[in-house]
Amino acid sequence: DADVTQTPRNRITKTGKRIMLECSQTKGHDRMYWYRQDPGLGLRLIYYSFDVKDINKGEISDGYSVSRQAQAKFSLSLESAIPNQTALYFCATSDGRDTQYFGPGTRLTVL
Amino acid sequence: AQSVTQPDIHITVSEGASLELRCNYSYGATPYLFWYVQSPGQGLQLLLKYFSGDTLVQGIKGFEAEFKRSQSSFNLRKPSVHWSDAAEYFCAVGPFSGGYNKLIFGAGTRLAVHP
């Protein structure tokens, strides 16, 4: 089984809809991250969390919110989706020392 | 401000040829440097990392990278490319400010391998 899982893997939605992307991990890491990937831009950090009570904005948090329901779960929400939020979204975890471990990604399309 | 530049958006090599992917960074101190690979439809997998010590770092799948402080570079190399190496490669810098493990990624280099 994968250490970091993301659901759904693909989602098509309409402008204005609320969307939640979910991430679960079995690595026992405290730190979790949400990134979005756009062609030619690499990965950009949306939010990160160092434990259940610690949530921090990344470089592109506008239009997004997160919830850390448990050590193993970190959800990303788009309250009112817009087309320029069409992207590939990655969740990652870390034990805080060095390496980040990535999930398989969620491809989101906003029409 | 910290940044990572991967000058080559696309690279095409023949199977069996050598490969070098370029990465330059801007960072105020000695950075932590990473190379990740993303195969089609997959998440990112760590190839190798540099924290300190020997500036030539060995990674998985036969890859290596060399940290050159004077050139602010961390280029990825492989002596003989296999068709399965076709993927997108990302260089990343880890500013570990206060223990906060936040990565800054380059835009990526997409590698195509001709048979």
Side-chain angles (χ1 to χ4, degrees):
Chain A
D1 290 337
D3 294 321
V4 184
T5 57
Q6 293 183 234
T7 56
R9 293 295 310 278
N10 288 282
R11 182 72 184 269
I12 300 173
T13 191
K14 295 182 179 180
T15 297
K17 294 292 187 180
R18 184 178 187 274
I19 295 297
M20 178 179 287
L21 309 183
E22 298 186 347
C23 176
S24 295
Q25 53 114 347
T26 59
K27 298 188 75 65
H29 290 165
D30 288 328
R31 300 175 186 215
M32 298 187 73
Y33 309 78
W34 275 104
Y35 293 89
R36 65 175 280 174
Q37 181 183 19
D38 299 278
L41 295 178
L43 278 75
R44 293 179 292 167
L45 184 63
I46 305 172
Y47 270 96
Y48 58 104
S49 169
F50 292 148
D51 64 40
V52 174
K53 298 180 181 179
D54 183 75
I55 303 289
N56 304 277
K57 293 182 177 180
E59 58 181 308
I60 55 163
S61 59
D62 288 348
Y64 301 95
S65 63
V66 292
S67 173
R68 185 80 183 266
Q69 302 94 323
Q71 185 202 39
K73 296 184 182 296
F74 192 37
S75 300
L76 176 71
S77 294
L78 288 68
E79 296 301 326
S80 180
I82 57 177
N84 75 1
Q85 291 177 313
T86 293
L88 187 55
Y89 290 85
F90 285 103
C91 175
T93 75
S94 167
D95 61 6
R97 295 175 60 193
D98 44 53
T99 307
Q100 290 189 14
Y101 299 87
F102 286 81
T106 294
R107 186 168 297 281
L108 177 66
T109 302
V110 183
L111 301 177
Chain B
Q2 300 98 353
S3 65
V4 178
T5 302
Q6 294 180 245
D8 305 304
I9 299 174
H10 295 279
I11 285 183
T12 301
V13 300
S14 298
E15 191 169 18
S18 64
L19 172 70
E20 183 170 30
L21 303 182
R22 296 183 290 166
C23 173
N24 294 97
Y25 65 88
S26 173
Y27 188 64
T30 300
Y32 291 4
L33 295 159
F34 304 81
W35 275 100
Y36 283 83
V37 60
Q38 183 182 19
S39 298
Q42 303 296 315
L44 279 72
Q45 180 184 20
L46 180 69
L47 283 176
L48 47 78
K49 58 191 177 187
Y50 171 78
F51 288 169
S52 64
D54 193 344
T55 56
L56 184 62
V57 180
Q58 302 297 320
I60 62 172
K61 304 184 180 185
F63 286 92
E64 66 178 25
E66 186 172 11
F67 169 57
K68 292 185 177 180
R69 183 190 305 273
S70 61
Q71 300 177 18
S72 298
S73 69
F74 189 57
N75 294 349
L76 182 71
R77 301 193 295 248
K78 187 170 185 178
S80 178
V81 171
H82 188 263
W83 64 266
S84 61
D85 293 324
E88 190 155 21
Y89 292 80
F90 293 94
C91 181
V93 169
F96 286 81
S97 174
Y100 293 160
N101 181 354
K102 294 194 293 179
L103 295 180
I104 298 172
F105 285 85
T109 298
R110 186 170 296 278
L111 174 67
V113 180
H114 279 328

